[in-house]
Amino acid sequence: MSNHFNLSSSATTLVIVAHPDLKASRINKRLTVELERRGNVTVHRLYETYPDEKIDVVREQALLTAHDRIVLQFPLFWYNSPSLLKKWLDVVFELGFAHGKGGDKLKGKELLIAISSGGAQSMFQAGGLHNYSYSELLRPFQQTANYTGMIYRPHFVVSGIREVSDEQLEKYVADYVNYVEGRPALSGRGQK
C-alpha cells in the first residue's frame, strides 16, 4: 500500500485537533502550530472552540461540507479518541447529514486519522503490551468512513512520544505536513 495519495490542488483540508490540553502537549502542539503557520489548511481546535462541550452542530457541518478532506488529530487515550471528539462525531455525523435518507454530505470526502501515543510502536502489535496494531484500534474510524461514504486513508502515528527527540519531532512535523497535504513522507516516519 502506498504511503501517499494525490490531492488535487483545488482540494481543501480541515484538520480537527482534539487534544484536551493542547498548550501542554509537546507533540500535538508542534504539529498544530506548523499547520497553522503554513496557512494552507483550516485548523479547528475543538477543545478551545467548545470548552463547555456545547457543540454548534450547524457550524461543524458547514465546516465539513466546505472541505474535501478531513483530518482527525488526537492523542490516543485508552485505545480511543478523547471524549469531546467522540461527542463531536455523535452529534455532527447525524442522521440525514452523514447517513440515512439524505445523509450523503460526507460522501467522497477523505478521512485521515493522525494520532500520538505514549507507547512505542512495538507495543502495538500481536504479542506486544497492547496486543493490537494501531490499524486494528482505529477500525471504528475506518468503519465510520465506510458507513458515511468517505474515503479512508492510511493513518499517521507519532508513537513513543516521551522518547521523541527535538530532531525526531521536526522530522515528524515535516512528514505530517506532507501527510496532511497528500504528499509522500520525507523520512518515512509516522505514515502507516
Side-chain angles (χ1 to χ4, degrees):
M1 176 188 331
S2 174
N3 282 341
H4 69 281
F5 28 90
N6 294 324
L7 174 64
S8 162
S9 60
S10 63
T12 56
T13 302
L14 172 65
V15 180
I16 305 286
V17 179
H19 194 296
D21 191 5
L22 190 60
K23 291 177 184 173
S25 168
R26 178 175 166 251
I27 304 295
N28 279 277
K29 180 172 65 174
R30 178 68 187 99
L31 297 174
T32 301
V33 167
E34 185 64 23
L35 290 177
E36 290 171 332
R37 186 185 72 74
R38 291 175 174 260
N40 59 345
V41 300
T42 302
V43 176
H44 183 39
R45 297 175 178 217
L46 211 55
Y47 276 88
E48 290 176 26
T49 304
Y50 301 113
D52 59 0
E53 297 193 14
K54 293 180 181 168
I55 298 169
D56 182 342
V57 173
V58 173
R59 176 183 185 224
E60 297 303 308
Q61 290 176 345
L63 273 172
L64 290 170
T65 57
H67 293 84
D68 301 307
R69 71 189 342 210
I70 314 304
V71 180
L72 302 179
Q73 176 189 322
F74 58 91
L76 193 64
F77 284 172
W78 286 106
Y79 315 107
N80 209 324
S81 67
S83 62
L84 184 57
L85 181 56
K86 175 63 171 102
K87 181 176 182 176
W88 180 87
L89 285 164
D90 288 346
V91 299
V92 175
F93 282 39
E94 68 184 347
L95 182 67
F97 174 77
H99 62 99
K101 187 175 181 177
D104 60 354
K105 310 306 183 286
L106 301 176
K107 187 174 184 178
K109 295 182 184 292
E110 294 177 308
L111 180 63
L112 295 82
I113 308 297
I115 62 171
S116 58
S117 168
Q121 178 76 34
S122 62
M123 299 169 93
F124 289 89
Q125 61 188 1
L129 178 65
H130 301 294
N131 296 311
Y132 299 99
S133 68
Y134 290 116
S135 292
E136 291 171 299
L137 293 171
L138 295 173
R139 194 76 70 212
F141 293 98
Q142 184 175 9
Q143 181 54 24
T144 296
N146 293 340
Y147 190 65
T148 61
M150 298 178 84
I151 301 161
Y152 189 75
R153 297 295 187 194
H155 55 270
F156 184 93
V157 178
V158 179
S159 58
I161 60 170
R162 290 168 199 86
E163 286 79 39
V164 172
S165 70
D166 290 344
E167 181 181 331
Q168 290 169 322
L169 178 55
E170 291 312 306
K171 288 178 183 176
Y172 275 119
V173 168
D175 285 347
Y176 184 57
V177 168
N178 285 332
Y179 170 78
V180 168
E181 294 175 349
R183 295 190 313 258
L186 299 174
S187 71
R189 292 183 159 281
Q191 288 182 299
K192 306 294 171 200

